[in-house]
Amino acid sequence: MKGRFITFEGPDGSGKTTQIKLAEQYLKQKGFEVLTTFEPGGTGIGKKIRAILLDKSNLEMTDKTETLLFLASRAQLTEKIIKPALKSHQMVLCDRFFDSTIAYQGIARGLGAQRMLDFSLWATGGLVPDLTFVFHMKPGIGLERKSRQGRPKDRLESQEDDFMQKVCQGYREVAERFKERIVSIDGEKDIQAVFAIIRDKINGLIG
Ligand code: TMP
């Protein structure tokens, strides 16, 4: 069986990272080779780009610079890590992919959803996930969760309050537009209930 590419998306603090760990364990128990990675990052160059993107002192960063950095990190990750893993029949789980660029830069920043999709497809040579889970939650809850864990806010989390509201709305639009690929998850449900949905959808994909 050829490798499958599964992505996890949602506003900051929506619980996707916990679910990726559960999905990884589940697939490994079933005997699959699994590669778990994340954006921005996932490669040496990507980690350096991530540091620039999240650095709170980079206040002068323009929206276009931000977009191009996310795309550069994605191009590197796709070419060097994701495509080779898929070619060697691995299951690839990725914490964020191009739906983040559509929701954050395309919709919340207002740079245009279609343009962000086109740029992303150019950056990745047309790679589209086989399955995507989008975690939805009320604006504010995710960041509250993160601050309870004692984690300081990064540059993107420090945007004005209505930015996260626009991101949440952006994800709703993305989920509506790509219904055939995206499964919407209520990020406020408990961990096991959410994982039951994810497990069923993954079983549907792997047959
Ligand atoms: P993370 O904290 O989930 O690792 O993601 C880093 C931040 O970058 C998060 O606030 C979401 C944001 N982001 C974008 O704005 N556009 C993108 O394309 C990606 C991948 C992430």
Side-chain angles (χ1 to χ4, degrees), residues 104-146:
Y104 281 76
Q105 282 68 47
I107 296 167
R109 296 269 194 234
L111 298 182
Q114 185 61 45
R115 179 179 288 145
M116 293 302 106
L117 177 62
D118 293 342
F119 283 179
S120 227
L121 291 174
W122 174 76
T124 64
L127 182 68
V128 175
D130 295 298
L131 176 64
T132 298
F133 297 102
V134 172
F135 291 66
H136 300 279
M137 61 187 348
K138 288 191 205 86
I141 294 185
L143 290 182
E144 256 170 56
R145 266 190 195 169
K146 276 197 155 180

Side-chain angles (χ1 to χ4, degrees), residues 23 26 35 38 56 66 97 156 169 173 181 193:
Y26 179 71
L35 178 103
F38 63 98
K56 265 167 99 171
E66 177 182 286
F97 200 60
L156 279 133
Q169 176 55 30
E173 289 178 35
R181 168 174 62 86

Side-chain angles (χ1 to χ4, degrees), residues 24-41:
E24 178 182 325
Q25 275 170 18
Y26 179 71
L27 284 164
K28 282 184 173 165
Q29 275 163 14
K30 289 205 138 221
F32 288 96
E33 251 194 85
V34 184
L35 178 103
T36 300
T37 189
F38 63 98
E39 278 210 2

Side-chain angles (χ1 to χ4, degrees), residues 169-181:
Q169 176 55 30
Y171 272 120
R172 278 190 285 275
E173 289 178 35
V174 166
E176 188 55 35
R177 175 161 176 194
F178 302 108
K179 275 191 189 129
E180 69 303 333
R181 168 174 62 86

Side-chain angles (χ1 to χ4, degrees), residues 12 16 39-40 50 54 66 70 74 95-97 100-101 104-105 146 154 156-157:
D12 303 80
K16 59 192 164 49
E39 278 210 2
R50 178 184 180 87
L54 300 189
E66 177 182 286
F70 279 118
R74 181 165 311 137
D95 191 339
R96 301 191 179 282
F97 200 60
S100 284
T101 312
Y104 281 76
Q105 282 68 47
K146 276 197 155 180
D154 61 39
L156 279 133
E157 291 164 347

Side-chain angles (χ1 to χ4, degrees), residues 158-177:
S158 310
Q159 302 292 307
E160 67 284 7
D161 282 352
D162 71 338
F163 181 69
M164 221 20 99
Q165 225 158 320
K166 290 183 194 158
V167 169
C168 293
Q169 176 55 30
Y171 272 120
R172 278 190 285 275
E173 289 178 35
V174 166
E176 188 55 35
R177 175 161 176 194

